[in-house]
Amino acid sequence: MNKKMKFPPELIGAIRDGNTELLSALLKTGDGIIRQLDESEDRQWREALNLSIRLGNEDGMDTLLQGVKFDFRQIHEALLVAVDTNQPRVVKRLLDRLDQEKGNKMDVRSFSQAIFDHSIDNSQFAPGVTPLTLACQKDLYDIVSMLTQKGHGIPWPHKMSCACLECRNGRQYDLLKFSLSRINTYRGIASRAYLSITSDDAMLSAFSLSRELCKLSQKEPEFKPEYLSLEQLCQEFAVELLGMCRNQSEVTTILNSSGDENRDCSDEQAFEEGIPNLSRVRLAVKYNQKQFVAHPICQQVLSSIWCGNLSGWRGSRTIWKLFVALGIFLTMPFLCLIYWIAPKSKVGKILKIPVIKFLLHSASYLWFLIVLLGESITMEMYRDNFASREQNILQSSLHMVWVAGFFWFECKEVWIEGLRSYFLDWWNFLDMMVLSMYLASFSLRVLIMLKAHFLCQDQNNTEGCVYFTQTVRDDWHQEDPQLVAEVLFAVTSMFSFTRLAYILPAHESLGTLQISIGKMIDDMMRFMFILMIIGTAFLCGINNVYVPYVISPQLGRFNETFRFLFWTMFGVVNENYVDMPQFVFAEFIGRVLYGIYTLVIVIVLLNMLIAMITNSFQKIEDDADVEWKFARSKLYLTYFREGLTMPVPFNIIPSPKMCDCVKTIITAVSDTKYASCSLYYLSNIKQTDDNQLSYRRQVIGALVQRYIESARREFEEAKRKGNADTDTTQSDKIFQCPMSKQTFANITGL
Ligand SMILES: [Zn+2]
């Protein structure tokens, strides 16, 4: 008897009717022989098995499995169907069957080998889809946990640029399948079910995954929308997990641990007494998790720390807040004196509260700007002095006290934060630039003074002495240090005002406006690039038309032409400049070019700019609340750090606290006893850390559990509602299996 089984055409009908007896008879299961399949009828057998699973006909499936020997790939596909239709029991049975088939050593990795399969396949599942990734994509928590317990896992995809043998082969063999399997794998990894079941700290995994997906969307722009939607999913998941917190202690535990215990420990020192380290919030800020940071739970914690003991501050009226701010502005020097003498006193402690610290620093900055304005007015009053070499360096250098303070402040900031995270903030670049320009301007002026002094000492060099002491401005060289210093100072004093933008996020509408302006400047940059190309093209063209005609008074020189074209954008030039009645042809071409230029610039480009700006303004406005809260949280976090309490310029005065610090370091170096003492201290810390760690794990576990429960409830609710709606059409729906008509025709032999 031939052991290979021919595919009986009645089989499909028997499965569809649920007629198990007919099925047994067709497969001849009575004699207990498991029959081999014919290779050419592989697809039909697969569809028969899949159909029985899809219809929920478990007896039929059992009979099929008993009567016929299915191979690994066929069962794999059946498993996918079972996962797709969410039947945990069937999945379990098929998994057991696979175990039998391969002995207990089932090779889970072979699921992902589908990439090297070149046959034209009518399978409804994309390449690289494994039962686990499919279950993850559909958020089937039961099946995911069953599969992971069986040892299934999703191998992390290699880097985009990976050049290992596996990736190289995959790329060469089938690029499309390679990319699709990558994106499918990420779909699995980024799913809520996979994150919550497989990772120790689901929230943290969601953070880092969201960052990775964001990077991938830039590296692989072909799949940008897919990656971005997955990234959004991760962000939402983290936010929903946070929303599962039920009391303050859970919130505190979650927000104050970043998962990396060593870093938690070292970061602890950088914070003020009584202020938790909030490492998870800072991580969220770093990873740009705007929704997470703007979540009410997060915001509440931040605001309560911001106001510290001043519980009345949050509810008080704006007038009162302004009054307090004015008071701090006026009494700043005295407050600083008190803090300098007694940092641990009551006033000192109040000054350490972040909101007061913020007001103090803002007041100091305002004083700096007032000094700058005052210096400008003094210069105007003694204009004759400032125009000559006789200016007094002290009259216009009061602002250097602040600059020295800012410089010291930045140095301390680098010391506390580390160079890398210091330069992550773009504002710090501006600070560096402004400070170095102030220093350059000041040192140039000192240079002139010193040079005059030394040259006049030297009897032989009377010429140099006269140049640096008595000459009038008209006789100075173009590159005279004083001219450079003056220009530098003028530009820098303008830049100094931009730093006020640092304060604005504290206020809701001002902060939102500021974010919009930032985005608009970003748009402007891109616009400028296009404008530059088009502008240069027309500048060349129009200039070259007029170059040979020396009679043209305005055009024909780059400088003049540029000025003419620039002001055309704003409609403030005389358009008769292009006229040249003696030379008709050149005049005609000049007019045409100028006309096109006006059309392109004024109608197309300027309107495009306006559209771009409106668009980004609208985007920010739509999300104003989240954007503002995110910006404000960044501001808050910078004021939670320890140190830097004393505002500029008082921070240059060495404080008793700093002397203490130096003393401790010296004793630490000289005293060996300290080492053993600190060792004891460290082991103590470690013990409490272990306790904290286990508590943290418990909290995270509880959050995930609550999340899964609520997801399950929602799922059942939706199912119940769906059932109520479609009860009548249920019987039709079962037969609407996603099998295509083509395959159906194949099976039935029509
Ligand atoms: Zn690789």
Side-chain angles (χ1 to χ4, degrees), residues 157-159 161-168 171 178:
H158 294 198
K159 271 191 209 157
S161 53
C162 178
C164 75
L165 194 67
E166 196 183 329
C167 293
R168 263 204 329 258
R171 250 182 239 128
F178 182 73

Side-chain angles (χ1 to χ4, degrees), residues 581-601:
Q582 305 94 311
F583 304 99
V584 182
F585 182 62
E587 188 196 49
F588 174 71
I589 296 294
R591 278 182 177 172
V592 168
L593 284 185
Y594 184 63
I596 297 172
Y597 171 79
T598 318
L599 280 178
V600 169
I601 293 285

Side-chain angles (χ1 to χ4, degrees), residues 282-301:
R282 278 182 299 144
L283 199 71
V285 168
K286 195 172 147 201
Y287 287 0
N288 217 18
Q289 306 280 319
K290 290 187 180 164
Q291 286 166 13
F292 184 89
V293 178
H295 193 278
I297 289 180
C298 243
Q299 287 296 309
Q300 196 187 31
V301 170

